Amino acid sequence: MICAISGEVPDEPVVSKKSGLLFERRLIERYVEDHGKCPVTKEDLTMDDIVPVKTNKVVKPRPLQAASIPGLLGIFQNEWDALMLSNFALEQQLHTARQELSHALYQHDAACRVIARLKKERDEARALLALAERQIPASVPGAAPVAVVSNGKRAMEDEIGPDGKKIRPGINPVMIDELTECNTMLSAQRKKRQVPPTLAPIDALERYTQISSHPLHKTNKPGILSMDIHPSKDIVATGGIDTNAVLFDRASGQILCTLTGHSKKITTLKFVPRDQLFVTGSADKTVRIWQENENGSYNCVHTLKDHTAEVEAVTVHATQKYFVSASKDNSWCFYDMSTGSCLTQVGEASGQEGYTSAAFHPDGLILGTGTTDAVAKIWDVKTQSNVAKFEGHVGPVTAMSFSENGYFLATAAHDGVKLWDLRKLRNFRTFSPYDSDTPTNTVEFDFSGNYLAIGGSDIRVYQVANVKSEWNLIKTLPDLSGTGKVTSVKFGADAKYIAVGSMDRNLRIFGLPGDDQMEESNTAAE
């Protein structure tokens, strides 16, 4: 009797009433429970259709070799010999595998050492080449391509690689050590930093009103697109649609100088106090570095032409030795301030996603960029790798600002301002102060990190709090939608005043009337 399922003699045989087939009881019970059918005929079957069969127990006969003691000993000996042979073969295989693994690890370690040595030699060679390019005059026959500064213009004969792209020297280990040291120092200082006693209190900001207005740019092309304030001289710089940058002394109410040279609107500008430098970016695809003269005027010492589309933002590193430019050509460039050389260009020089804003973190090791497709990206400056993306805005990210404590990032777009927690990489608050037809154009933390200003059709100042606390609205400055939308907002030293640039070409100063004895100036820069 053979089981229809296992093909062996069943220990507990049962038979089906319907088909007459013989099964092992435990096997047919499980099959019927799962399927409710006969495994052979596929007919419906229940355990009520199963009848047990009583049979005599069949004892399998022993093999002839196990019928005597010498036979059993022979069987055991054969099994022991087979086991020893198998064990010996396994030991040989294990020994061979260990040797192969050891050899592979040695090769890997040697390869890593060679790669590290080659990288070190490459970085040293790049550093020496960069030093040589700075020192060798361009007139020497056979000299390496160098930057030649003449009448404020920078001529660069860039080397082109096999892929058709310019070869950049890169950020060498010496520079990385410098950036890291700066980061360590600033991080330690930030932990000890206290709110300055000279900071304007909240009740003072609540009483701020417009104390002066200055039409700085040409009337035929009105509009201020960018603005910056010198941290120690109380000088306000504005960049306009008229292609000019104007440096304005707030204390005297006079224009100090007007910088001309760009062929299209100036979209971004920054002071560099360390060497009395000034950086401007323009829609003419260039970045210019200006040097202050003894008489207070500025000369263009470098014209940088590494971008292929409008330059939308420049941001200066905390060391004031380097700066970054971001462009709509979907790339950002890291520059050496003293030489004007592009050390590295990150991103493709084509594509739909361009950069519309950029800002360095206060400690200098991460960079934030805003894109045309509503994404804010965070970059590791040392490796130039994208380490985080903040999504959720509607429209291009027009402005961004890091808080001085390094914990928060504020980004502005058409739908308002979003605040991001950099420790947990999440959005924890959103301000939507304007209607759907009014974009938010600018956002700015003050230097102390206690106030946040938002600009669109008006200017709104908030008190900075933590992630869980409410960020209270302190002051709403006048609606400028009738005269020109707000394009830029900056806090003066200790937030004693707020400078506002708008599309009607006026630089407006808001503060307490008693703190500013200057009369309103109507000086026009033609």
Side-chain angles (χ1 to χ4, degrees):
M1 296 185 297
I2 303 300
C3 174
I5 296 178
S6 65
E8 297 180 354
V9 177
D11 293 331
E12 190 178 356
V14 292
V15 67
S16 170
K17 294 180 181 179
K18 292 185 177 181
S19 63
L21 294 172
L22 186 70
F23 300 100
E24 175 72 57
R25 184 180 184 87
R26 57 184 176 81
L27 297 179
I28 193 62
E29 282 183 348
R30 186 179 303 171
Y31 191 90
V32 169
E33 181 180 353
D34 293 341
H35 302 89
K37 294 181 180 180
C38 174
V40 179
T41 64
K42 304 302 180 182
E43 297 178 344
D44 292 339
L45 188 67
T46 66
M47 290 307 298
D48 294 336
D49 299 324
I50 301 300
V51 177
V53 177
K54 295 183 179 180
T55 61
N56 295 326
K57 293 292 183 180
V58 177
V59 179
K60 296 180 181 181
R62 294 181 181 180
L64 294 177
Q65 295 86 347
S68 63
I69 292 177
L72 289 174
L73 292 177
I75 292 174
F76 294 154
Q77 182 65 46
N78 292 336
E79 291 180 354
W80 174 261
D81 292 342
L83 179 61
M84 289 298 101
L85 290 173
S86 176
N87 185 57
F88 177 74
L90 290 175
E91 287 184 353
Q92 282 189 320
Q93 292 175 4
L94 176 61
H95 179 69
T96 303
R98 284 179 174 175
Q99 286 183 326
E100 292 175 352
L101 177 61
S102 177
H103 184 66
L105 290 175
Y106 176 79
Q107 287 182 323
H108 178 267
D109 182 64
C112 290
R113 291 175 183 273
V114 171
I115 292 171
R117 186 179 73 252
L118 292 175
K119 284 185 175 180
K120 182 179 179 182
E121 292 175 356
R122 180 202 64 188
D123 294 337
E124 291 174 352
R126 283 179 174 175
L128 291 174
L129 178 61
L131 180 62
E133 288 179 350
R134 298 176 191 177
Q135 295 177 348
I136 299 176
S139 58
V140 177
V146 294
V148 181
V149 179
S150 175
N151 297 326
K153 295 184 179 180
R154 171 179 174 264
M156 176 67 78
E157 297 178 5
D158 291 293
E159 294 185 32
I160 304 299
D163 57 357
K165 297 180 181 179
K166 295 178 181 179
I167 298 177
R168 308 296 187 186
I171 304 176
N172 62 47
V174 176
M175 296 176 183
I176 291 177
D177 291 342
E178 184 179 21
L179 300 179
T180 304
E181 183 179 354
C182 176
N183 171 268
T184 302
M185 180 186 68
L186 292 176
S187 297
Q189 291 178 354
R190 187 177 66 226
K191 295 177 181 178
K192 301 177 182 179
R193 185 180 296 122
Q194 301 293 328
V195 177
T198 54
L199 180 69
I202 294 177
D203 60 345
L205 268 73
E206 291 175 342
R207 294 181 285 121
Y208 276 10
T209 185
Q210 181 174 314
I211 56 179
S212 63
S213 177
H214 313 277
L216 300 183
H217 292 267
K218 294 180 180 180
T219 56
N220 59 335
K221 293 183 178 180
I224 295 174
L225 298 179
S226 54
M227 182 174 59
D228 195 25
I229 298 177
H230 196 289
S232 59
K233 292 186 177 181
D234 203 12
I235 297 174
V236 182
T238 59
I241 295 179
D242 62 359
T243 74
N244 296 332
V246 176
L247 273 64
F248 175 78
D249 185 0
R250 191 187 70 90
S252 64
Q254 299 297 319
I255 293 177
L256 299 179
C257 61
T258 299
L259 309 184
T260 60
H262 284 291
S263 59
K264 293 185 178 181
K265 60 186 179 182
I266 294 180
T267 55
T268 177
L269 48 78
K270 288 290 180 183
F271 280 106
V272 188
R274 179 175 175 270
D275 294 317
Q276 304 303 318
L277 297 174
F278 186 66
V279 182
T280 57
S282 169
D284 63 8
K285 307 176 187 178
T286 68
V287 176
R288 288 177 178 255
I289 302 177
W290 309 77
Q291 175 74 58
E292 184 179 8
N293 300 321
E294 293 181 357
N295 59 3
S297 63
Y298 282 79
N299 288 333
C300 178
V301 294
H302 296 296
T303 300
L304 315 178
K305 301 179 180 180
D306 298 286
H307 289 293
T308 59
E310 296 182 14
V311 177
E312 289 291 302
V314 293
T315 177
V316 179
H317 189 268
T319 59
Q320 299 187 35
K321 295 182 179 179
Y322 311 101
F323 74 95
V324 162
S325 65
S327 167
K328 284 187 176 179
D329 66 3
N330 193 28
S331 72
W332 57 267
C333 294
F334 188 92
Y335 287 100
D336 184 323
M337 187 77 71
S338 60
T339 64
S341 58
C342 178
L343 301 178
T344 184
Q345 186 168 13
V346 180
E348 300 294 333
S350 62
Q352 300 298 321
E353 179 187 283
Y355 295 116
T356 52
S357 55
F360 269 114
H361 186 272
D363 294 341
L365 280 188
I366 63 174
L367 171 74
T369 58
T371 67
T372 56
D373 62 350
V375 177
K377 296 183 177 181
I378 304 297
W379 303 83
D380 183 339
V381 176
K382 294 191 294 184
T383 61
Q384 299 94 62
S385 58
N386 181 211
V387 295
K389 289 184 179 181
F390 296 143
E391 300 175 330
H393 270 301
V394 175
V397 179
T398 53
M400 57 172 46
S401 178
F402 287 95
S403 64
E404 184 57 27
N405 62 10
Y407 297 153
F408 307 133
L409 171 65
T411 56
H414 188 90
D415 57 340
V417 169
K418 291 185 180 292
L419 297 174
W420 308 89
D421 186 347
L422 297 176
R423 294 163 293 183
K424 297 184 178 180
L425 300 179
R426 66 180 183 90
N427 170 231
F428 67 92
R429 184 163 280 102
T430 299
F431 297 115
S432 300
Y434 312 114
D435 56 41
S436 58
D437 296 330
T438 305
T440 305
N441 297 314
T442 182
V443 62
E444 185 77 17
F445 283 100
D446 81 303
F447 181 75
S448 70
N450 285 267
Y451 303 120
L452 176 71
I454 297 173
S457 60
D458 57 20
I459 306 97
R460 304 190 183 196
V461 182
Y462 292 83
Q463 180 184 10
V464 174
N466 56 36
V467 173
K468 297 182 179 179
S469 302
E470 188 65 29
W471 293 46
N472 297 320
L473 177 61
I474 300 173
K475 181 70 175 180
T476 300
L477 299 174
D479 189 335
L480 302 179
S481 59
T483 56
K485 65 180 181 180
V486 175
T487 57
S488 51
V489 174
K490 293 286 181 181
F491 287 94
D494 294 326
K496 292 296 177 59
Y497 68 90
I498 299 174
V500 178
S502 66
M503 288 302 293
D504 63 357
R505 81 189 180 99
N506 279 294
L507 169 66
R508 292 177 171 82
I509 305 297
F510 293 85
L512 295 177
D515 293 341
D516 197 316
Q517 304 301 324
M518 171 181 61
E519 295 183 357
E520 181 171 338
S521 171
N522 291 318
T523 305
E526 298 294 340

